[in-house]
Amino acid sequence: MKLCLIQMNSTPDHAENVARAAGYIDQAVAADKPDLVVVPEFFNHPYVFQYRDYAHIDEAEGEDGIAISTMREKAREHGIHVIATIFEAEAAGLCYDSAIVIDPAGAILGRYRKAHPAAVRSLEKIYFRYGSHFPVFRIGAWRVGINICYDTFFPESARCAAVNGAELIVVPFAAPAVACWRETMQTRAFENGVYFAPCNKVGLEGEWTFGGRSMIVAPDSEVLAEAGDDGDETIFATLDRARVFEARRAWPMFRDRRPDLYTAITTPTEDIPRID
């Protein structure tokens, strides 16, 4: 598989952001036609979740909005898969952070909804509901899972996708500079024997500066491609499924897992015994 990540900044002009993403897809196809293109989380508008203002609910759109409609057109035009993540309006008063998976015919294969809306510095939890599943999608011969941004810092998220069969996990991001960013992405790849591909925003949006440094990491933790932190950039890598199998043979974590011992992880918080 040829994988392409498009790192970009978003302005208040939704139509311009979508048009720029479409242009980057055109350029990527002209340079080295990829099988799968990924754009960052909320590529179509600035990161409004830094503000407590319910007027930003109006930023949400459905799959028939300009963002996904345009990405579907580009997928169909070029015969490629696209994964695009939006603030999705599901119904009145119900929104999600959704990665939409589009096939080469422009059809929607499905979606992954962020399981961990962030509420560390951001206010995502007041805007959208969490998802509850870690689906895996067939893209050519590959099984592809998705995490979104803050999910990455819960290692269970990538593990669930991998246990469900993922060989590649793509991660649309909207993150400022993060300590141990590179090492974290390498660790997620290594501990799950998967290709791991964070695709981040970059530059100033509102009062936040996003960290860029999108990358594609191999299952043995080798960084195959890496963007900088100072502007829009497109990166590519050719992935080899044999490398997934080699990594999992060399480090058989799936053989050695002990889910019978991990009940503390799934015990409701109020039921966990405390030691005084």
Side-chain angles (χ1 to χ4, degrees), residues 41-63:
E41 185 183 23
F42 312 126
F43 75 101
N44 55 321
H45 60 77
Y47 189 79
V48 297
F49 312 107
Q50 60 194 282
Y51 305 114
R52 184 183 293 273
D53 184 347
Y54 284 104
H56 291 306
I57 292 291
D58 292 339
E59 308 282 350
E61 62 181 75
E63 63 182 44

Side-chain angles (χ1 to χ4, degrees), residues 180-238:
C180 302
W181 169 269
R182 198 172 200 263
E183 295 83 358
T184 298
M185 305 309 157
Q186 290 178 290
T187 299
R188 294 291 166 269
F190 175 77
E191 68 192 3
N192 291 294
V194 295
Y195 285 92
F196 201 76
C199 181
N200 201 12
K201 285 194 161 195
V202 68
L204 183 65
E205 295 185 15
E207 298 173 17
W208 284 24
T209 299
F210 292 90
R213 298 187 67 197
S214 302
M215 64 180 68
I216 302 170
V217 186
D220 59 5
S221 81
E222 179 187 359
V223 177
L224 304 178
E226 184 172 8
D229 60 3
D230 60 354
D232 292 7
E233 192 170 345
T234 300
I235 61 173
F236 300 84
T238 298

Side-chain angles (χ1 to χ4, degrees), residues 7 50 118 128 262:
Q7 172 175 293
Q50 60 194 282
F128 50 80
Y262 307 152

Side-chain angles (χ1 to χ4, degrees), residues 248-259:
R248 291 180 179 182
R249 282 193 292 265
W251 294 91
M253 270 80 89
F254 290 94
R255 181 197 67 192
D256 297 333
R257 288 178 64 247
R258 291 291 308 277

